PDB file of all heavy atoms in Angstrom:
ATOM      1  N   PRO A 198     -11.128  -6.259  13.140  1.00 91.00           N
ATOM      2  CA  PRO A 198     -12.406  -6.073  12.490  1.00 91.00           C
ATOM      3  C   PRO A 198     -13.085  -4.786  12.936  1.00 91.00           C
ATOM      4  O   PRO A 198     -12.968  -4.460  14.099  1.00 91.00           O
ATOM      5  CB  PRO A 198     -13.184  -7.360  12.801  1.00 91.00           C
ATOM      6  CG  PRO A 198     -12.499  -8.021  13.900  1.00 91.00           C
ATOM      7  CD  PRO A 198     -11.160  -7.455  14.001  1.00 91.00           C
ATOM      8  N   THR A 199     -13.907  -4.194  12.103  1.00 83.00           N
ATOM      9  CA  THR A 199     -14.767  -3.041  12.559  1.00 83.00           C
ATOM     10  C   THR A 199     -15.877  -3.620  13.393  1.00 83.00           C
ATOM     11  O   THR A 199     -16.069  -4.856  13.429  1.00 83.00           O
ATOM     12  CB  THR A 199     -15.338  -2.319  11.382  1.00 83.00           C
ATOM     13  OG1 THR A 199     -15.990  -3.247  10.509  1.00 83.00           O
ATOM     14  CG2 THR A 199     -14.242  -1.553  10.598  1.00 83.00           C
ATOM     15  N   ASP A 200     -16.624  -2.749  14.066  1.00 80.00           N
ATOM     16  CA  ASP A 200     -17.647  -3.210  14.967  1.00 80.00           C
ATOM     17  C   ASP A 200     -18.632  -4.218  14.383  1.00 80.00           C
ATOM     18  O   ASP A 200     -19.063  -5.145  15.007  1.00 80.00           O
ATOM     19  CB  ASP A 200     -18.447  -1.980  15.529  1.00 80.00           C
ATOM     20  CG  ASP A 200     -17.576  -1.190  16.550  1.00 80.00           C
ATOM     21  OD1 ASP A 200     -16.543  -1.695  16.896  1.00 80.00           O
ATOM     22  OD2 ASP A 200     -17.956  -0.061  16.874  1.00 80.00           O
ATOM     23  N   ASP A 201     -18.980  -3.934  13.151  1.00 79.00           N
ATOM     24  CA  ASP A 201     -20.040  -4.807  12.511  1.00 79.00           C
ATOM     25  C   ASP A 201     -19.409  -6.001  11.728  1.00 79.00           C
ATOM     26  O   ASP A 201     -20.072  -6.748  11.067  1.00 79.00           O
ATOM     27  CB  ASP A 201     -20.982  -4.037  11.613  1.00 79.00           C
ATOM     28  CG  ASP A 201     -20.251  -3.345  10.487  1.00 79.00           C
ATOM     29  OD1 ASP A 201     -19.017  -3.480  10.330  1.00 79.00           O
ATOM     30  OD2 ASP A 201     -20.936  -2.756   9.625  1.00 79.00           O
ATOM     31  N   SER A 202     -18.041  -6.085  11.899  1.00 83.00           N
ATOM     32  CA  SER A 202     -17.310  -7.222  11.265  1.00 83.00           C
ATOM     33  C   SER A 202     -17.502  -7.252   9.704  1.00 83.00           C
ATOM     34  O   SER A 202     -17.282  -8.228   9.160  1.00 83.00           O
ATOM     35  CB  SER A 202     -17.730  -8.527  11.840  1.00 83.00           C
ATOM     36  OG  SER A 202     -17.297  -8.621  13.165  1.00 83.00           O
ATOM     37  N   SER A 203     -17.884  -6.099   9.146  1.00 80.00           N
ATOM     38  CA  SER A 203     -17.985  -6.137   7.659  1.00 80.00           C
ATOM     39  C   SER A 203     -16.671  -5.784   6.987  1.00 80.00           C
ATOM     40  O   SER A 203     -16.496  -5.968   5.825  1.00 80.00           O
ATOM     41  CB  SER A 203     -19.056  -5.102   7.223  1.00 80.00           C
ATOM     42  OG  SER A 203     -18.571  -3.826   7.479  1.00 80.00           O
ATOM     43  N   SER A 204     -15.723  -5.322   7.765  1.00 84.00           N
ATOM     44  CA  SER A 204     -14.421  -5.024   7.165  1.00 84.00           C
ATOM     45  C   SER A 204     -13.318  -5.129   8.222  1.00 84.00           C
ATOM     46  O   SER A 204     -13.540  -5.221   9.423  1.00 84.00           O
ATOM     47  CB  SER A 204     -14.452  -3.630   6.556  1.00 84.00           C
ATOM     48  OG  SER A 204     -14.904  -2.657   7.442  1.00 84.00           O
ATOM     49  N   ILE A 205     -12.107  -5.140   7.737  1.00 89.00           N
ATOM     50  CA  ILE A 205     -10.903  -5.177   8.620  1.00 89.00           C
ATOM     51  C   ILE A 205     -10.211  -3.791   8.524  1.00 89.00           C
ATOM     52  O   ILE A 205     -10.008  -3.312   7.448  1.00 89.00           O
ATOM     53  CB  ILE A 205      -9.838  -6.228   8.116  1.00 89.00           C
ATOM     54  CG1 ILE A 205     -10.503  -7.624   7.995  1.00 89.00           C
ATOM     55  CG2 ILE A 205      -8.660  -6.200   9.065  1.00 89.00           C
ATOM     56  CD1 ILE A 205     -10.771  -8.284   9.306  1.00 89.00           C
ATOM     57  N   ARG A 206      -9.967  -3.262   9.653  1.00 89.00           N
ATOM     58  CA  ARG A 206      -9.375  -1.966   9.744  1.00 89.00           C
ATOM     59  C   ARG A 206      -7.844  -2.162  10.048  1.00 89.00           C
ATOM     60  O   ARG A 206      -7.508  -2.911  10.985  1.00 89.00           O
ATOM     61  CB  ARG A 206     -10.032  -1.174  10.895  1.00 89.00           C
ATOM     62  CG  ARG A 206      -9.607   0.200  11.129  1.00 89.00           C
ATOM     63  CD  ARG A 206     -10.264   0.655  12.401  1.00 89.00           C
ATOM     64  NE  ARG A 206      -9.750   1.982  12.773  1.00 89.00           N
ATOM     65  CZ  ARG A 206     -10.405   3.107  12.475  1.00 89.00           C
ATOM     66  NH1 ARG A 206     -11.648   3.074  11.946  1.00 89.00           N
ATOM     67  NH2 ARG A 206      -9.871   4.284  12.792  1.00 89.00           N
ATOM     68  N   ARG A 207      -6.938  -1.543   9.245  1.00 92.00           N
ATOM     69  CA  ARG A 207      -5.569  -1.683   9.485  1.00 92.00           C
ATOM     70  C   ARG A 207      -4.876  -0.321   9.687  1.00 92.00           C
ATOM     71  O   ARG A 207      -5.108   0.530   8.933  1.00 92.00           O
ATOM     72  CB  ARG A 207      -4.865  -2.310   8.292  1.00 92.00           C
ATOM     73  CG  ARG A 207      -5.312  -3.760   8.042  1.00 92.00           C
ATOM     74  CD  ARG A 207      -4.295  -4.511   7.238  1.00 92.00           C
ATOM     75  NE  ARG A 207      -4.615  -5.953   7.307  1.00 92.00           N
ATOM     76  CZ  ARG A 207      -5.421  -6.534   6.473  1.00 92.00           C
ATOM     77  NH1 ARG A 207      -5.911  -5.889   5.429  1.00 92.00           N
ATOM     78  NH2 ARG A 207      -5.671  -7.808   6.546  1.00 92.00           N
ATOM     79  N   ARG A 208      -4.129  -0.228  10.791  1.00 93.00           N
ATOM     80  CA  ARG A 208      -3.281   0.953  10.986  1.00 93.00           C
ATOM     81  C   ARG A 208      -1.975   0.709  10.313  1.00 93.00           C
ATOM     82  O   ARG A 208      -1.368  -0.322  10.559  1.00 93.00           O
ATOM     83  CB  ARG A 208      -3.131   1.222  12.472  1.00 93.00           C
ATOM     84  CG  ARG A 208      -4.326   1.635  13.228  1.00 93.00           C
ATOM     85  CD  ARG A 208      -4.843   2.999  12.809  1.00 93.00           C
ATOM     86  NE  ARG A 208      -3.809   4.116  13.078  1.00 93.00           N
ATOM     87  CZ  ARG A 208      -3.859   5.243  12.426  1.00 93.00           C
ATOM     88  NH1 ARG A 208      -4.754   5.527  11.488  1.00 93.00           N
ATOM     89  NH2 ARG A 208      -2.932   6.147  12.717  1.00 93.00           N
ATOM     90  N   ARG A 209      -1.487   1.683   9.490  1.00 94.00           N
ATOM     91  CA  ARG A 209      -0.236   1.485   8.774  1.00 94.00           C
ATOM     92  C   ARG A 209       0.664   2.595   9.103  1.00 94.00           C
ATOM     93  O   ARG A 209       0.264   3.731   9.431  1.00 94.00           O
ATOM     94  CB  ARG A 209      -0.480   1.430   7.267  1.00 94.00           C
ATOM     95  CG  ARG A 209      -1.254   0.219   6.856  1.00 94.00           C
ATOM     96  CD  ARG A 209      -1.562   0.292   5.342  1.00 94.00           C
ATOM     97  NE  ARG A 209      -2.279  -0.870   4.862  1.00 94.00           N
ATOM     98  CZ  ARG A 209      -1.780  -1.922   4.323  1.00 94.00           C
ATOM     99  NH1 ARG A 209      -0.431  -1.989   4.191  1.00 94.00           N
ATOM    100  NH2 ARG A 209      -2.494  -2.975   3.976  1.00 94.00           N
ATOM    101  N   ILE A 210       1.943   2.295   8.986  1.00 95.00           N
ATOM    102  CA  ILE A 210       2.935   3.382   9.198  1.00 95.00           C
ATOM    103  C   ILE A 210       3.961   3.321   8.052  1.00 95.00           C
ATOM    104  O   ILE A 210       4.228   2.225   7.492  1.00 95.00           O
ATOM    105  CB  ILE A 210       3.651   3.223  10.550  1.00 95.00           C
ATOM    106  CG1 ILE A 210       4.633   4.415  10.840  1.00 95.00           C
ATOM    107  CG2 ILE A 210       4.340   1.946  10.673  1.00 95.00           C
ATOM    108  CD1 ILE A 210       4.948   4.562  12.272  1.00 95.00           C
ATOM    109  N   CYS A 211       4.443   4.442   7.643  1.00 94.00           N
ATOM    110  CA  CYS A 211       5.411   4.583   6.568  1.00 94.00           C
ATOM    111  C   CYS A 211       6.786   4.798   7.170  1.00 94.00           C
ATOM    112  O   CYS A 211       7.051   5.719   7.831  1.00 94.00           O
ATOM    113  CB  CYS A 211       5.005   5.733   5.635  1.00 94.00           C
ATOM    114  SG  CYS A 211       6.328   6.035   4.424  1.00 94.00           S
ATOM    115  N   PRO A 212       7.753   3.849   6.929  1.00 95.00           N
ATOM    116  CA  PRO A 212       9.046   3.981   7.512  1.00 95.00           C
ATOM    117  C   PRO A 212       9.879   5.118   6.883  1.00 95.00           C
ATOM    118  O   PRO A 212      10.768   5.634   7.479  1.00 95.00           O
ATOM    119  CB  PRO A 212       9.739   2.661   7.258  1.00 95.00           C
ATOM    120  CG  PRO A 212       8.997   2.002   6.179  1.00 95.00           C
ATOM    121  CD  PRO A 212       7.591   2.643   6.148  1.00 95.00           C
ATOM    122  N   ASP A 213       9.498   5.535   5.674  1.00 94.00           N
ATOM    123  CA  ASP A 213      10.162   6.637   5.044  1.00 94.00           C
ATOM    124  C   ASP A 213       9.892   8.026   5.582  1.00 94.00           C
ATOM    125  O   ASP A 213      10.812   8.799   5.854  1.00 94.00           O
ATOM    126  CB  ASP A 213       9.860   6.625   3.564  1.00 94.00           C
ATOM    127  CG  ASP A 213      10.326   5.384   2.851  1.00 94.00           C
ATOM    128  OD1 ASP A 213      11.252   4.735   3.381  1.00 94.00           O
ATOM    129  OD2 ASP A 213       9.767   5.024   1.754  1.00 94.00           O
ATOM    130  N   CYS A 214       8.605   8.284   5.862  1.00 95.00           N
ATOM    131  CA  CYS A 214       8.248   9.664   6.369  1.00 95.00           C
ATOM    132  C   CYS A 214       7.622   9.639   7.765  1.00 95.00           C
ATOM    133  O   CYS A 214       7.356  10.662   8.310  1.00 95.00           O
ATOM    134  CB  CYS A 214       7.401  10.373   5.341  1.00 95.00           C
ATOM    135  SG  CYS A 214       5.670   9.723   5.351  1.00 95.00           S
TER     136      CYS A 214
END
Side-chain angles (χ1 to χ4, degrees):
T199 52
D200 288 347
D201 63 359
S202 292
S203 68
S204 52
I205 305 284
R206 185 190 173 98
R207 294 202 168 88
R208 290 294 298 159
R209 292 175 181 265
I210 185 162
C211 171
D213 295 338
C214 72

